[in-house]
Amino acid sequence: MLEHVPGTRHQLIESEDDGSDDENDLSPLVVNGSPNDEDAVASRRPFMAAASPTLKQRRPYPRLPVTNFACCSYDSCQNFSYKTYTFNIEKRQKTGPVRALRWAFTFLIGVTTAMVAYFIDYFVNFLLNHKHDWVTKRIADGQPAAAFFVFLGTNAGFVLVAALLVLLAPVAGGSGIPEVKVYLNGLRLPGVLSLRTFVAKVVGVLFSVAGGLPCGKEGPMIHSGAVLAAGWTQGLPPRGFPWLARLLGKDAVQRMFLPFRDDRNKRDFVSCGAAAGVAAAFGAPVGGVLFAVEEGCSFYDVSLAWRIFFCAIVCAFSMAFATNTSTGAKSLNSPGMIDFGDFAGSNVVPFSTIEIPCFVVIGAAGGLAGALFIHLNLKLTAVRKKRDDWLCRTFGSRARSFVRTAEPVCIVALLSLLCFFDLYALPRVCQKVPPPSDDHDSVKVRDLLQTLECDAGHYDAWGTLWFNSAADSLRFLFHFSGHFDHMVLLGFGAQYFVLMTVTYGAPVPSGLFLPSLLAGAVFGRLFGQLLKEIDVHTFSTLDPGAYALIGAASFLGGVCRITFSLTVILIEATRDIAYSLPIMFAILSAKFVGDYFNRGIYDEHIHFRKLAFLEASLPEELSMRTFVHDFMTPRSKLNCFDPVERVSVVLRTLQTRRYIGFPIARCDKEQLTEQFHYGLMTRSRLLVLLSKKAFSRRRKLAVSVKALRRAVDACSDVDLLPETDLADTKLLISVMEAQNLSQVVGESTDSADNPSVKVNVTSLDRCFLLPSFVTLDAPFEKDFLEWKQFHFPATDYETITGRAGLQAIADSLTPEDMGSFIDMRPYMNPQPFFVPDNFSFDRCYNLFRSVGMRHMLVIDPKMRLTGLVTRHDLWNMSQLLEHPPPGWKNSFGRLVRAGEHTEQYDGRDYESDSFSDVSDDGGSVFSGTMRSSFAPFF
């Protein structure tokens, strides 16, 4: 029997590239222990499809660099083990408690996210107030130098704490929205939902904002809500919750978390946590739901929307209750972490008809400014990456860590210098305090005016913008009734734009919502004041605060490119539906203008990091002539397992190849049965089977009459079998036909030199030793592992699936274990998605993304396995079609070389471009399949 040695192209999850050329590594065959034995291979040719001499050969497509991470599998695996578990649950009528527990966890996520948001908001205000008192007291005492050093020292100290926390948990840097978005799209980034990341994110953003960096708390709150959702529902019992284990018992706690320990449920809860983060940040539960749908959830259904909405409502209510309880208010209308003020209390007409074109212009300007911000930030991010790589190569990782820690401290030092430069180097701008207006919040914002060294009844314009927090400055621009100096607005807006460009991407927890809103509000108010001064009669009812709101929405829309969710968030934050129309005009205008130049900031950073992120859709005209066989991984490059495989073969494959998925198919390529693919097995399940030693000493196989007949017909021509074995085979066929048996169950022998199947027939007083021409209809072992044994806490999962875990498993196996067999049929996915090889690229892309698949099998017209498609194959092909590399072009929806002549598409089906060919004996050959040449890590 031929044993197939694992190939080289398939699902890698970690970067272990040895520099070998994958295109020339063709998975050698081992015949009786001798690899690539030409005589043995020649003797097997009746069972293999001969390559067609006219097969068209083409060079593979270019390989694009990609950051390789494991993928999530959001498609349910309904194998025999899962069905048995589900049947027992339904039989015991325990589905009701599972549903109730799911809603209880959703409620718990909302409450805890609100508590975390309140914790951050409380301590940020506490630190900011004390810093403000220390600085203004020294300014009032006539000690500007001492005030500067206090301001610089406190800012640098706070930011240094945040940078050190990110040094311990690098994933905690930034806003976290791109990471959550990528996870919900199907990529499992290491450490994104870990406890260490959560602590570093929560405490780090507290000190980042208190340190005066132009960053916000909103993006990190979305990430924190996602981590809380994953932590509560995945749990670490009994270590994570010892008190719960003591109260209910270890087994009860295990059963409590067991139904939610899969990628699908974890994804749903993470979506709830992200929506709760938006609700806590802005006090906008509906906006949180829409944000999760527009930016977060790649896979969405109505039942999930109900739970997301419930979680967002609970979070908004809990945040309002905590805020009002601490302030002593009796109402529950307090906003979230950002207070826009009460727009509904103003008697000013929000806008007139003639102002609508002005809102469109502000939106276009916001889109243009957002595109410029994204362009500059990406250039700076590229410089940071080159700097870190150079430092690591030249001086080592410690030097890189030191520079990354010092970078945010230098940024906040620059901010402190600019602040005091504007206060003391530039002409002092003291303006008279205006009388209160009809706006209810106009009286409140008067408390934000900074007098500093100005006379009584006057305020310092520079100090008012610099010495208030970003949230207070934003509310001041929305509701200040007086005239603010134009040059101060222009100078502060330009400086703040540069600082926020430099800050985003620095190794500190930092959000982008609040600084974008503040920068847009500055320029929006400036535009409104200039417009009112140009024509007082036409714009007599113009409110500069409303223009500040429109400017804030425009710039944030131009940076993030979110539309309807941002509109609803701002409407809920302002608590006035009258501003909905100008906000819509501004955001749509910013979206259209910004998309002309680049994508949103989160999508651009995802693309910069070379993550295999699948966009919502692709233009059909880009891929109208591209089919699955163009980019799939052909079967000759796959690693397959038999349904019942030897332990030594499985262990050797796992040790040599970092693959995630393995098709269950006939690996010896003998074309003797009608079926050729049976399912899909994942690496984690194989590791659990090895760790649990779910082995059988004999391999039970079913020998069918049909397979025996084909074996006799094939072997009679080439004398592959001895005459005695051939006679025994014919005798067994006659006995089975006489007894009306379509198949009989046998056991494989342990002889590696002459593998065969031992078959006992009760009507004969003898045994048959036949070559292992087998099918898959043998019964399962009765003591197979239960479904719940494959779902365990995240720490145990990392222990088993890591490199050390695999080595520990290998050390625990005895020689007797290595000769045993693993029956994969109860544990494999027997219903994987498969498509024909002429399936169009756009349909394959949409199906893969909408279902949340990890692998997609490809079959030929005879239902035989011919290849496999993965996320990285789709991503690579989509990038090539959308942005052809040098020397290539997209010709009518197909990637061709730049100098290649292609006729115009005339509507014909391009089946002739398929590089499959059916030989005379019915075999399928894909040795010349045109596809992506890059080895993905799945």
Side-chain angles (χ1 to χ4, degrees), residues 522-727:
V522 168
F523 290 108
R525 186 176 182 93
L526 177 61
F527 182 86
Q529 290 184 172
L530 291 174
L531 197 64
K532 191 171 185 178
E533 291 181 2
I534 292 173
D535 192 343
V536 179
H537 300 288
T538 305
F539 299 100
S540 58
T541 60
L542 185 147
D543 181 15
Y547 276 74
L549 175 63
I550 304 305
S554 301
F555 188 65
L556 181 57
V559 170
C560 300
R561 308 290 164 78
I562 49 181
T563 54
F564 55 86
S565 61
L566 178 59
T567 301
V568 176
I569 288 172
L570 294 178
I571 291 174
E572 289 185 281
T574 57
R575 299 189 289 276
D576 191 356
I577 195 66
Y579 291 95
S580 59
L581 192 59
I583 290 175
M584 291 177 188
F585 278 120
I587 291 178
L588 287 178
S589 180
K591 168 75 172 174
F592 287 135
V593 173
D595 284 346
Y596 180 79
F597 297 98
N598 46 36
R599 288 170 289 195
I601 183 66
Y602 303 133
D603 293 332
E604 288 290 353
H605 272 266
I606 291 172
H607 185 265
F608 177 82
R609 296 170 62 181
K610 304 300 181 184
L611 297 173
F613 181 84
L614 300 183
E615 301 287 347
S617 61
L618 291 176
E620 185 178 356
E621 62 273 9
L622 290 180
S623 59
M624 59 188 304
R625 293 174 55 207
T626 304
F627 303 98
V628 169
H629 60 69
D630 290 326
F631 59 89
M632 71 177 184
T633 302
R635 182 182 169 180
S636 61
K637 297 298 180 94
L638 297 182
N639 281 108
C640 303
F641 285 131
D642 280 333
V644 183
E645 189 61 88
R646 195 179 292 272
V647 173
S648 59
V649 176
V650 174
L651 182 63
R652 183 173 68 251
T653 304
L654 296 180
Q655 287 177 331
T656 56
R657 302 297 171 189
R658 300 289 297 174
Y659 298 170
I660 284 293
F662 302 89
I664 305 301
R666 292 298 304 276
C667 299
D668 54 7
K669 301 181 181 179
E670 296 178 2
Q671 310 294 329
L672 298 178
T673 58
E674 293 296 333
Q675 291 180 324
F676 293 91
H677 64 92
Y678 308 108
L680 200 67
M681 192 71 174
T682 60
R683 182 185 184 89
S684 61
R685 292 181 180 274
L686 288 174
L687 289 171
V688 172
L689 293 176
L690 290 175
S691 64
K692 303 288 186 181
K693 294 189 176 182
F695 310 146
S696 59
R697 303 305 174 191
R698 296 281 184 175
R699 176 163 58 175
K700 292 185 178 181
L701 302 170
V703 183
S704 66
V705 175
K706 193 171 186 181
L708 291 174
R709 284 177 178 172
R710 299 185 63 180
V712 170
D713 295 339
C715 298
S716 300
D717 299 333
V718 294
D719 297 330
L720 182 62
L721 294 179
E723 188 64 29
T724 55
D725 291 346
L726 192 59

Side-chain angles (χ1 to χ4, degrees), residues 3 6 20 37 64 133 160 186 195 241 253 306 309 320 332 365 463 510 584 601 620 704 733 790 805 819 857 876 905:
E3 181 181 356
S20 61
D37 191 328
L64 298 179
D133 293 341
L160 180 61
L195 179 62
F241 306 99
V253 175
W306 277 109
F309 187 45
L332 288 178
S510 58
M584 291 177 188
I601 183 66
E620 185 178 356
S704 66
I733 292 176
F790 292 91
L857 300 180
N876 188 73
Y905 180 64

Side-chain angles (χ1 to χ4, degrees), residues 29 37 142 278 794:
L29 293 175
D37 191 328
V278 176

